[in-house]
Amino acid sequence: MAGHSKFKNIMHRKGAQDKKRASLFAKLGKEIMVAAKMGGPDVESNARLRLAVNTARSNSMPKDNIERAIKKGAGGGEADLLEEIRYEGYGPGGIAVIVDVLTDNRNRSAADIRAIFSKAGGSMGETGSVAFMFDRVGEIVYPAEAGEAEAIFEAALEAGAEDVASSDEGHEIICSADDLHAVAAVLEGALGEAKSCKLAWKPQNTVPVEDEGKAEGLLKFLDALDDNDDVQNVTANFDIADEVMEKLAG
């Protein structure tokens, strides 16, 4: 198990502080509804719902909102209209992108996602056109204050994880998708509740982005996807050099 990786630059995601809270809660609520619809409202016996609820809590989603979403999902109605779709394609610079969507209107979502790709100079592909470049894994994230890198590494190793990436931003622990729930349970006993715990796409290889202009365009493209109300997750196989990220941040 490697102690370091560039996974933090591979998974592009924005924190709650970068999103309108209402939009973030709506997306979290959709996932909770679908999870409750598919596996029932019992958090203990429904692994997907348990992950969704934990993620919602880590993003400070109010308890009432969570309970309301579970009831909606278990009762059908709005949840019955939601459909899970995965879009794949190539973004600026040939970056492979996977977009996970939960929508009540397939045609609207397809048109919106295609337009975002097209505007950025990218192109949508068929299902499976880029997914083979990624592995489906479990991803558990802890804040930096959860512990020193070595302690987190040892805890992850003991729990059965496959990889750990620690930085000033926090600790990302990667495990087999099938082992996610078991590993998360062991880590929770050792480290407390995780910041997030979910299934994710991990690129097998990454494309370096060292030009500041290209990096800025790529991030704007990914942000546009992430800002779409139907989009739940965006994953791409890029690796922006740290010095470029520092310039963009500045």
Side-chain angles (χ1 to χ4, degrees):
M1 179 163 68
H4 303 281
S5 79
K6 284 287 187 179
F7 198 50
K8 65 184 177 66
N9 270 346
I10 298 168
M11 288 287 296
H12 179 74
R13 55 192 180 280
K14 293 165 28 173
Q17 70 274 15
D18 295 325
K19 291 183 176 181
K20 294 180 180 178
R21 290 173 66 84
S23 175
L24 175 63
F25 290 165
K27 294 187 180 191
L28 293 170
K30 279 185 181 181
E31 173 60 21
I32 292 172
M33 280 193 288
V34 170
K37 170 194 168 185
M38 295 180 66
D42 184 3
V43 176
E44 294 304 317
S45 62
N46 185 339
R48 178 171 175 175
L49 179 59
R50 187 163 61 251
L51 287 177
V53 169
N54 286 344
T55 298
R57 286 173 178 165
S58 70
N59 282 282
S60 302
M61 186 172 179
K63 183 179 179 181
D64 288 348
N65 293 36
I66 294 174
E67 293 177 349
R68 193 179 308 120
I70 293 175
K71 289 180 180 178
K72 282 185 178 180
E78 184 179 344
D80 289 338
L81 302 176
L82 293 173
E83 182 180 8
E84 293 182 279
I85 307 172
R86 187 180 76 222
Y87 296 109
E88 302 175 35
Y90 291 93
I95 301 298
V97 184
I98 294 178
V99 185
D100 292 309
V101 166
L102 266 178
T103 181
D104 59 2
N105 188 321
R106 173 186 282 261
N107 292 333
R108 179 195 66 222
S109 295
D112 288 348
I113 302 305
R114 191 177 300 278
I116 295 172
F117 269 88
S118 179
K119 184 177 180 180
S123 61
M124 291 268 286
E126 299 294 327
T127 299
S129 59
V130 304
F132 69 93
M133 302 180 192
F134 297 76
D135 294 321
R136 195 61 162 161
V137 300
E139 180 201 28
I140 305 164
V141 178
Y142 276 91
E145 56 268 24
E148 296 294 329
E150 187 62 30
I152 300 295
F153 180 88
E154 291 297 333
L157 182 65
E158 185 69 24
E162 297 176 352
D163 191 22
V164 180
S166 293
S167 70
D168 293 340
E169 300 171 359
H171 310 280
E172 291 181 336
I173 300 165
I174 306 302
C175 65
S176 163
D178 293 336
D179 295 338
L180 176 59
H181 308 306
V183 172
V186 174
L187 286 173
E188 184 170 348
L191 304 172
E193 188 172 317
K195 183 178 181 181
S196 71
C197 178
K198 63 184 180 181
L199 290 173
W201 295 99
K202 181 180 179 182
Q204 297 166 0
N205 296 288
T206 59
V207 177
V209 181
E210 300 174 346
D211 179 83
E212 187 175 343
K214 291 181 179 179
E216 185 173 15
L218 172 62
L219 292 178
K220 285 182 178 179
F221 160 69
L222 295 171
D223 284 347
L225 287 172
D226 201 40
D227 285 339
N228 183 279
D229 289 340
D230 294 332
V231 173
Q232 294 293 102
N233 293 292
V234 181
T235 313
N237 68 342
F238 68 95
D239 183 8
I240 298 178
D242 290 342
E243 56 270 22
V244 174
M245 287 296 289
E246 289 174 5
K247 288 180 181 178
L248 293 175

